[in-house]
């Protein structure tokens, strides 16, 4: 069944030419605890077809952690 879906996808999915623009806000520090920094950034993806207005394709929030690497003596 999965094989049929993959095979039929190019025939059933029809997309015209378009451009995607990804916009990501600067990351914001939301927490800092013992060498681990919690950060998040909002993002949006806009899709534009030639001759038409841009439309919002996706919006969301990226959440992650930055872990400080401990220095080692040489």
């Amino acid at each position: 069944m999965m094989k049929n879906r993959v095979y039929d996808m190019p025939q059933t999915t029809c997309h015209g030419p378009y451009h995607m623009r990804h916009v990501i806000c600067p990351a914001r520090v939301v927490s800092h605890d013992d060498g681990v920094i919690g950060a998040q950034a909002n993002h949006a993806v806009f899709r534009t077809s030639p001759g038409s207005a841009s439309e919002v394709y996706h919006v969301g929030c990226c959440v992650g952690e930055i872990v400080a690497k401990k220095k080692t003596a040489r």
Side-chain angles (χ1 to χ4, degrees):
M1 197 155 97
M2 182 62 84
K3 195 175 190 180
N4 289 339
R5 287 179 188 226
V6 172
Y7 176 77
D8 289 337
M9 195 176 295
Q11 285 81 16
T12 59
T13 306
C14 200
H15 293 289
Y18 57 83
H19 299 281
M20 305 289 273
R21 177 165 303 263
H22 301 252
V23 180
I24 303 172
C25 295
R28 187 177 79 207
V29 174
V30 293
S31 66
H32 185 286
D33 185 34
D34 210 20
V36 179
I37 299 169
Q40 69 181 44
N42 296 324
H43 69 271
V45 180
F46 299 93
R47 182 167 69 175
T48 306
S49 296
S52 67
S54 294
E55 63 180 10
V56 177
Y57 185 72
H58 184 268
V59 293
C61 181
C62 300
V63 178
E65 292 182 338
I66 303 165
V67 180
K69 184 177 178 181
K70 295 184 179 188
K71 294 181 180 180
T72 58
R74 291 187 180 200

